[in-house]
Amino acid sequence: MRTIGRFELRTLIGQGSMGHVWQSWDTQLKRPVAVKIINPERLVEQPNTISPEAVAARFCREAELGARFIHAGLPMLYDAELNGSPSDLYMVWELIVGQDLSQVLKDEGGRLPINQALALTVQIADTLACIHADPVIHRDLKPSNIMVTGGPQTKLLDFGVAAVYGDDYPRLTQEGQLLGTVAYMAPEQFIHRGVIVPQTDLYALGCLLYEMLTGQPPFTGDAASVMDAHRTRIPITASELRPDIPPGIDDLLMSLLAKETADRPASAHLVAHQLAPYLTPSDPTQPSTDTEPGQAADDPAAPPATPELLPAAIRIVQAQALFDAGHFGEALPLYNKLGLETAAPEDEHHSRLTAECRAKAAFCHMRLGNLPKALDDYTALAAELTQDTQPEDHLLLEVRSRVGLLQEANNRPGEALATFAAIYPLLFQHLGPDASLTNEVRTVFNRLNRLGINIPRPTPAPVEQGAT
């Protein structure tokens, strides 16, 4: 019998492209566990594949995420070995007894009773709300990554390709690399350097709910045709395939499957809240969708109110630490409050501090998936900074760049092209050609240029009657 560390690897219970999961025995604590190791095939350098070192980096990050969250919808990480060669690495997880959702669907003939499908979706949405608050984007939501245990209770598995924001979590996706499972991938995942936001997971959640209700994902066929359909086709409404589906569920599904991230629900918490009225009230397995007094229904990450505020200087440092670690849901309300408190136009120092807080708040909105709000806030801030600062000011350069990037993400490519044409020479000259922001703008700018996007012409002012 194979062993790793103090664990006996007994039965292979899960096998993916990145890792293998074994039902194992902890010889020291005398309990069953699930041990995940790197797929041995990934430890051999192969052309056109991710390198073993990159696989190991993703493996280690998955373990860090496992330790980061405690939630009923996530398995518990007991232990991990993250040092040594890739073949020596392993994670020790709570052993989940149940079936994955793909097997549940198979046993039920391909689709589930409506109430069961909605109940499972509420649980998954509640789990997504937890991870999105940081935010972490799962990026590979699919039936085989959802375990269903007695109760039933769902458990979301496999953060191997998750997108994690924050300076502590460097970008691991290689250029041109496609991550996820095609049948459940959002349109933006097929776009080079597409903006990945919490609504990316909500699109996959819509695909899951659609399949649980109808017996098939929204689009089927070969990979190329499914990818094209995600980008360009509107799926058949679920009620056409199953007439007993309530109209409200049809509407929610279509919003989850919207092509643009801005047209999808604002948060996973809101999805759970919208589904709650359709569930059997006495079902004890559902997470509560009630909110605390004063807490918005779509803002589960809002920190509890404190009776006495710390000095602003300390709270600025607190907000910065949360921001740098990628905890944008927690940093946002701090920056919003600080932006209001420091507003004092007659004081140059405080005016600058206000602008910096507002810029950080807008960035938080962007990473949390509130793209229209982020664009509005950045646009307003850019207009104000333009009046008071030099064009080469670094904060103004960043804000104007974000305006262009968000214009493109909000499907306004002509406006984005005009913004980039004005800002790129300044970025190149004052930040340098290799700065991350210069690179980000250059990549999207070049893509728009290759697509042949035209800069919109300004609308001429109407000529008054009688004018000569």
Side-chain angles (χ1 to χ4, degrees):
M1 181 180 296
R2 182 181 174 186
T3 62
I4 187 167
R6 68 176 194 263
F7 304 97
E8 296 177 354
L9 309 185
R10 294 185 171 179
T11 305
L12 184 63
I13 56 175
Q15 185 170 343
S17 62
M18 294 288 183
H20 287 180
V21 181
W22 291 78
Q23 181 178 344
S24 306
W25 182 254
D26 184 336
T27 59
Q28 180 173 308
L29 297 179
K30 309 300 182 185
R31 63 177 177 179
V33 293
V35 173
K36 184 171 185 176
I37 62 173
I38 296 176
N39 183 339
E41 295 178 3
R42 290 290 188 175
L43 301 178
V44 180
E45 193 77 47
Q46 300 176 8
N48 302 318
T49 62
I50 308 175
S51 68
E53 292 74 22
V55 172
R58 284 199 172 279
F59 190 87
C60 292
R61 188 164 74 177
E62 182 179 3
E64 293 169 6
L65 292 178
R68 183 170 176 172
F69 297 109
I70 298 177
H71 188 275
L74 297 169
M76 184 171 293
L77 181 70
Y78 291 150
D79 200 356
E81 175 54 67
L82 304 180
N83 296 312
S85 67
S87 61
D88 296 328
L89 308 184
Y90 62 86
M91 289 180 264
V92 185
W93 294 89
E94 167 192 5
L95 181 63
I96 306 299
V97 180
Q99 294 179 308
D100 68 45
L101 183 55
S102 61
Q103 185 62 50
V104 173
L105 287 167
K106 182 179 178 181
D107 291 347
E108 292 286 341
R111 68 184 196 181
L112 303 181
I114 290 177
N115 194 69
Q116 183 182 359
L118 300 185
L120 295 181
T121 303
V122 168
Q123 290 188 29
I124 299 167
D126 186 67
T127 305
L128 290 176
C130 169
I131 68 171
H132 288 170
D134 272 344
V136 171
I137 317 302
H138 188 276
R139 264 203 305 200
D140 196 18
L141 200 62
K142 58 184 178 182
S144 60
N145 281 339
I146 304 292
M147 287 293 292
V148 182
T149 68
Q153 171 68 48
T154 61
K155 298 278 187 178
L156 177 58
L157 310 179
D158 198 349
F159 283 77
V161 299
V164 190
Y165 297 109
D167 294 342
D168 291 341
Y169 294 94
R171 179 186 176 92
L172 297 179
T173 306
Q174 297 180 0
E175 199 71 24
Q177 184 182 353
L178 194 65
L179 296 177
T181 303
V182 170
Y184 308 93
M185 290 172 68
E188 61 269 18
Q189 290 179 273
F190 303 116
I191 300 173
H192 175 57
R193 294 184 68 87
V195 178
I196 304 300
V197 292
Q199 283 73 21
T200 302
D201 281 343
L202 296 189
Y203 186 95
L205 183 64
C207 293
L208 276 179
L209 177 56
Y210 191 101
E211 182 173 4
M212 285 190 281
L213 290 172
T214 69
Q216 63 184 50
F219 306 110
T220 58
D222 62 87
S225 63
V226 171
M227 289 168 63
D228 182 66
H230 281 303
R231 293 192 299 263
T232 62
R233 285 173 46 201
I234 304 299
I236 298 170
T237 58
S239 60
E240 288 188 57
L241 302 174
R242 187 172 181 175
D244 56 337
I245 293 174
I249 299 301
D250 247 355
D251 294 340
L252 177 59
L253 268 174
M254 297 310 287
S255 70
L256 286 167
L257 297 174
K259 303 303 180 189
E260 301 296 332
T261 56
D263 294 332
R264 297 174 206 154
S267 70
H269 186 85
L270 182 60
V271 174
H273 188 76
Q274 291 174 330
L275 285 173
Y278 296 94
L279 300 180
T280 303
S282 59
D283 189 344
T285 67
Q286 300 315 313
S288 172
T289 55
D290 295 335
T291 54
E292 294 296 327
Q295 180 179 339
D298 60 348
D299 186 16
T306 52
E308 187 172 340
L309 291 176
L310 293 168
I314 294 177
R315 285 182 286 125
I316 288 172
V317 176
Q318 289 178 325
Q320 186 68 50
L322 290 167
F323 184 93
D324 291 342
H327 302 310
F328 301 115
E330 297 175 71
L332 176 58
L334 292 178
Y335 278 125
N336 282 337
K337 182 173 283 292
L338 287 164
L340 292 173
E341 289 179 14
T342 57
E346 70 282 355
D347 185 325
E348 184 176 338
H349 169 72
H350 279 85
S351 179
R352 180 70 175 192
L353 188 58
T354 300
E356 291 171 351
C357 288
R358 289 172 60 190
K360 287 290 201 318
F363 190 90
C364 290
H365 275 300
M366 181 179 72
R367 286 308 190 200
L368 290 167
N370 307 324
L371 302 188
K373 171 66 173 171
L375 176 56
D376 288 346
D377 289 355
Y378 270 127
T379 301
L381 182 56
E384 294 175 27
L385 287 173
T386 300
Q387 298 176 7
D388 303 325
T389 59
Q390 297 300 314
E392 66 273 14
D393 179 82
H394 281 206
L395 179 60
L396 178 57
L397 289 175
E398 178 187 348
V399 170
R400 292 180 65 193
S401 298
R402 295 296 175 199
V403 168
L405 293 167
L406 283 161
Q407 285 170 333
E408 193 273 340
N410 281 278
N411 199 29
R412 293 155 62 175
E415 296 175 33
L417 196 64
T419 300
F420 291 151
I423 194 68
Y424 182 71
L426 294 170
L427 292 171
F428 192 94
Q429 179 181 356
H430 297 287
L431 297 188
D434 298 324
S436 60
L437 191 59
T438 307
N439 273 320
E440 191 173 1
V441 168
R442 179 167 54 234
T443 298
V444 181
F445 192 18
N446 286 338
R447 177 158 56 81
L448 293 176
N449 286 328
R450 286 194 294 270
L451 291 173
I453 303 297
N454 294 317
I455 295 177
R457 297 179 180 274
T459 304
V463 178
E464 295 183 7
Q465 291 287 341
T468 59

